[in-house]
Amino acid sequence: MLGLPSSDVTDAIDLLRRDHEAVEDLFDQLEDARESENDEEMATLVASVCSALTVHAQIEEELFYPAIRQLPEAADMVDEAAVEHQMIKDLVAQLEAMHPGDDLFEAKVTVLSEYVKHHVKEEEGEIFPEAKDSDIDLEALGKKLAVRKTELAGEPGAAPPARKSATATKRHARASSRAKTSSRKSARKKKSSQDGLRNR
C-alpha cells in the first residue's frame, strides 16, 4: 500500500501528503523507464499509478472532502478538487485500456502527471491549510482514511509498494548537497564574523 502504513498514521493530512509523495515517486520511476525504453516496466508502473490514484481519490471523496466541505471557506475549493479528480480518473480509465507503444500513450502519461502535480499543489497549498486551521479531528479522520485505504488496497488491482527511482534518488541527493553547501557557507560566514570581531 502506498504511503504510510495504517499503524504509522498521525493524521489525515500526513496520510494524504505521503500518498502524494509516493505517486510522485512512481512518476519518477516512469520517467526512468521511458528513458531506458523499458516498455514492460512502463506498463507495470502505469498500472501502479492508476491503482494508487484510484484508491487515493476514493478515500478523499468518501471521507476527506465531505469533512472539509463543511468549512465556510472550503466548499468551492473542494468542488474544484472534485472536478480535477474526474479529469484524472478519465485519463486513468484511458490509460488502463492502453499499452506502451499505443498512439498517445506517453502523451497521456505526461498529461496525467501534470494534472496530478497541479492538483497536489492546490490541495496542499489551499485545502490542507484550511483543514489544519479548523476544529476537525484530523487524527480521527486519518484513522478512518487509513482503514478505508487498507480495505481498498486489498482489492484486485491494488498498487504494490513504491520503490525509490533513480530520478528520485538524484533529486534527494541534490537536495542533500544543497543543504550541506548552505551549512558550509553559514559556518564560513559565522567564522568570518568571529574573526572580524577578534581583530577589532
Side-chain angles (χ1 to χ4, degrees):
M1 182 173 63
L2 291 176
L4 284 170
S6 300
S7 59
D8 293 334
V9 170
T10 57
D11 62 35
I13 303 302
D14 189 30
L15 183 148
L16 296 175
R17 183 175 284 117
R18 290 296 293 271
D19 272 4
H20 292 166
E21 292 171 356
V23 170
E24 180 186 7
D25 188 63
L26 284 173
F27 277 117
D28 285 340
Q29 292 178 50
L30 261 171
E31 185 60 31
D32 292 342
R34 181 186 303 187
E35 290 177 359
S36 63
E37 299 182 351
N38 189 332
D39 286 355
E40 183 178 352
E41 186 174 9
M42 279 192 69
T44 299
L45 289 167
V46 166
S48 294
V49 166
C50 291
S51 180
L53 290 174
T54 298
V55 170
H56 181 78
Q58 189 163 339
I59 63 173
E60 284 192 327
E61 291 170 8
E62 288 182 2
L63 298 166
F64 185 66
Y65 287 171
I68 303 303
R69 189 182 294 279
Q70 306 306 314
L71 304 177
E73 304 298 324
D76 288 344
M77 290 186 286
V78 171
D79 286 343
E80 291 173 10
V83 171
E84 290 171 356
H85 268 196
Q86 188 56 55
M87 296 169 68
I88 289 170
K89 286 189 284 189
D90 288 345
L91 267 178
V92 163
Q94 293 174 41
L95 283 168
E96 286 178 331
M98 299 177 72
H99 304 280
D102 288 351
D103 289 344
L104 301 181
F105 179 84
E106 291 193 15
K108 289 182 179 182
V109 170
T110 298
V111 172
L112 178 61
S113 175
E114 291 171 352
Y115 275 177
V116 170
K117 287 177 182 177
H118 172 78
H119 177 72
V120 166
K121 181 179 179 181
E122 292 203 338
E123 192 165 82
E124 294 190 356
E126 298 177 5
I127 296 179
F128 286 5
E130 288 289 335
K132 285 184 175 181
D133 290 341
S134 73
D135 58 359
I136 294 173
D137 187 341
L138 293 175
E139 185 173 345
L141 181 56
K143 291 178 180 178
K144 291 179 181 179
L145 288 167
V147 169
R148 183 60 177 138
K149 182 178 174 183
T150 299
E151 293 172 352
L152 293 170
E155 295 179 359
R163 62 174 175 77
K164 285 294 180 183
S165 69
T167 302
T169 301
K170 291 175 184 176
R171 185 176 65 239
H172 294 317
R174 286 196 297 269
S176 177
S177 177
R178 286 195 297 269
K180 290 178 181 177
T181 300
S182 176
S183 178
R184 286 196 296 269
K185 287 181 179 178
S186 177
R188 284 198 297 269
K189 286 182 180 179
K190 184 176 180 180
K191 184 176 184 301
S192 177
S193 176
Q194 290 173 342
D195 290 344
L197 289 173
R198 284 197 295 268
N199 292 333
R200 286 182 180 178

